[in-house]
């Protein structure tokens, strides 16, 4: 567009497209930076980035030794976030996470309480082996994950922005683990399964981590750029067919008529938070792929990590060999 004086002005649409292209390039550079350090976990890296771009929290599930902790540390460096780590153990107390008030006495003899912030006051909190802590300690994260602040001694303390929790969880079959309550599971946008690397990736790990010079991550983005990307994700258009696919998928994952013949397998299913999570995640996946609108393929691809921790099967279904991923796959096939 040209003004009366001959000056060129960029149209609003062109400006949005230019911003989207720049943000998408930053996000892809971040994925490449993480991939230079974490080998053989491309799907895990992608889903973790989708979780952060959506403004949510992620639950990384897998046996020890699969670089879950290293992934979170690398994310903090690459995305330029203030990252902290809490090792969850059976004797961990809520105050060890949130912080506590201490009584101080001034030089004049006056006493007052001062709040000492805990490690939760970070932009990226790694809750390592979260299911090794007691349910009381696990619940200390509920308010912070949902509302972005904590309340200690009746006083509200706001958390920094952006704020994300990436928790690692060992398989429940292992010794000394406590299952996460359903209310807390629902606050995780996505459950991300971390499996063993393939042979070629493990070969790369052997050489990179045992050589004289190990590859180190470097900052590609910062907190402001991540926040801008999160705002862009919320502005991406979503077609009516994709919206209907999301609604159909989530509603059919609940016991009732919309599940059809699979209803007899489902004990309880996802609430509206699953629909919200899927709506954001499909946009983030599209942006990560350089697209500016999600498709039904994105809904199908993210159905399992979004829904798996938000539903349970009946005893009869488990006795017949049905699994939650298997049921979700059948549901996703209906919309795909």
């Amino acid at each position: 567009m040209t003004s009366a004086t001959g000056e060129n002005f960029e149209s609003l649409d062109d400006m949005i497209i230019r911003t989207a292209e720049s943000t998408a390039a930053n996000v892809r550079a971040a994925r490449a930076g993480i991939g230079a350090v974490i080998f053989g976990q491309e799907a895990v890296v992608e889903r973790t980035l989708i979780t952060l771009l959506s403004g949510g929290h992620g639950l990384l599930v897998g046996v020890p030794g699969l670089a879950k902790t290293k992934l979170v540390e690398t994310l903090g460096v690459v995305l330029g976030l203030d990252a902290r780590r809490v090792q969850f153990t059976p004797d961990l107390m809520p105050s060890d996470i949130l912080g506590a008030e201490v009584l101080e006495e001034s030089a004049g003899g006056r006493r007052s309480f001062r709040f000492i912030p805990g490690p939760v006051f970070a932009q990226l909190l790694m809750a390592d082996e979260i299911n090794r802590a007691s349910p009381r300690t696990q619940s200390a994260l509920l308010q912070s994950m949902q509302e972005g602040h904590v309340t200690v001694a009746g006083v509200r303390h706001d958390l920094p922005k952006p704020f994300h929790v990436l928790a690692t969880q060992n398989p429940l079959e292992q010794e000394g683990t406590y299952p996460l309550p359903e209310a807390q599971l629902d606050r995780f946008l996505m459950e991300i399964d971390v499996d063993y690397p393939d042979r070629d990736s493990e070969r790369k790990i052997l050489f990179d981590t045992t050589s004289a010079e190990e590859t180190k991550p470097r900052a590609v983005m910062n907190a402001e750029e991540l926040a801008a990307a999160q705002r862009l994700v919320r502005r991406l258009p979503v077609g009516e067919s994709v919206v209907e696919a999301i609604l159909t998928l989530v509603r059919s994952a609940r016991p009732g008529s919309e599940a059809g013949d699979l209803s007899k397998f489902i004990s309880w299913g996802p609430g509206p938070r699953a629909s919200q999570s899927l709506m954001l995640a499909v946009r983030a996946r599209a942006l990560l792929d350089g697209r500016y609108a999600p498709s039904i393929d994105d809904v199908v691809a993210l159905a399992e990590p979004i829904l798996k921790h938000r539903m349970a099967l009946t005893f009869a279904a488990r006795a017949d060999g049905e699994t939650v991923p298997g049921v979700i796959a059948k549901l996703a096939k209906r919309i795909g």
Side-chain angles (χ1 to χ4, degrees):
M1 181 183 295
T2 305
S3 68
T5 60
E7 295 178 348
N8 292 325
F9 290 98
E10 189 176 30
S11 71
L12 181 61
D13 288 344
D14 290 340
M15 183 175 66
I16 292 174
I17 291 173
R18 181 172 57 82
T19 303
E21 289 175 346
S22 174
T23 301
N26 286 340
V27 171
R28 289 194 295 272
R31 177 164 64 176
I34 298 167
V37 179
I38 306 296
F39 304 116
Q41 301 289 1
E42 289 79 8
V44 174
V45 171
E46 178 187 79
R47 290 177 177 180
T48 306
L49 278 174
I50 289 172
T51 299
L52 298 185
L53 287 172
S54 302
H57 313 288
L59 183 63
L60 301 164
V61 180
V63 299
L66 295 183
K68 299 188 295 296
T69 303
K70 188 176 181 65
L71 170 61
V72 180
E73 292 174 350
T74 303
L75 277 166
V77 174
V78 171
L79 299 179
L81 300 177
D82 173 25
R84 299 185 187 182
R85 175 176 178 268
V86 177
Q87 179 67 49
F88 279 62
T89 56
D91 60 347
L92 191 74
M93 298 297 291
S95 59
D96 296 329
I97 303 170
L98 305 180
E101 287 195 323
V102 296
L103 183 63
E104 290 185 334
E105 185 172 346
S106 65
R110 184 176 179 179
R111 295 181 178 181
S112 61
F113 284 99
R114 181 171 66 91
F115 177 68
I116 300 179
V120 74
F121 287 85
Q123 293 171 325
L124 180 64
L125 176 67
M126 179 180 181
D128 206 2
E129 296 186 304
I130 188 173
N131 58 333
R132 290 202 180 277
S134 67
R136 178 188 177 192
T137 301
Q138 292 175 9
S139 65
L141 288 175
L142 285 174
Q143 183 183 31
S144 59
M145 291 173 66
Q146 181 63 28
E147 301 171 22
H149 66 264
V150 299
T151 304
V152 178
V155 179
R156 168 175 168 158
H157 301 275
D158 290 328
L159 297 171
K161 293 182 180 180
F163 172 71
H164 300 282
V165 175
L166 290 179
T168 67
Q169 175 178 291
N170 292 335
L172 295 179
E173 299 79 26
Q174 294 192 346
E175 292 291 332
T177 58
Y178 299 85
L180 294 179
E182 289 79 4
Q184 184 158 358
L185 284 172
D186 194 34
R187 281 165 171 76
F188 286 104
L189 183 137
M190 196 182 298
E191 179 182 319
I192 304 166
D193 288 334
V194 184
D195 206 349
Y196 296 102
D198 58 33
R199 189 180 186 89
D200 289 339
S201 298
E202 194 159 355
R203 180 186 294 274
K204 289 182 181 178
I205 294 171
L206 283 176
F207 283 104
D208 185 78
T209 58
T210 61
S211 61
E213 296 183 1
E214 184 177 349
T215 304
K216 299 292 183 182
R218 61 180 182 85
V220 175
M221 296 176 65
N222 56 40
E224 290 74 21
E225 290 170 333
L226 176 60
Q230 292 171 346
R231 290 192 296 269
L232 177 61
V233 164
R234 289 179 173 269
R235 295 177 63 184
L236 293 183
V238 181
E240 185 63 28
S241 61
V242 176
V243 174
E244 289 300 317
I246 291 172
L247 288 171
T248 299
L249 176 65
V250 175
R251 293 180 65 84
S252 65
R254 304 166 184 164
S257 59
E258 295 191 48
D261 58 338
L262 295 177
S263 178
K264 61 184 178 181
F265 296 145
I266 303 171
S267 176
W268 53 269
R273 192 180 279 131
S275 303
Q276 296 168 333
S277 298
L278 200 48
M279 188 77 157
L280 290 169
V282 295
R283 288 164 162 164
R285 187 174 190 264
L287 181 65
L288 199 59
D289 288 346
R291 296 176 282 116
Y292 304 116
S295 67
I296 293 179
D297 290 340
D298 295 316
V299 180
V300 173
L302 294 174
E304 182 180 326
I306 294 288
L307 298 180
K308 183 166 58 175
H309 58 296
R310 292 184 164 104
M311 57 188 299
L313 304 185
T314 61
F315 175 79
R318 297 195 303 272
D320 289 341
E322 295 288 343
T323 62
V324 171
V327 171
I328 293 174
K330 294 174 184 176
L331 295 172
K333 190 178 293 184
R334 296 178 180 177
I335 64 169

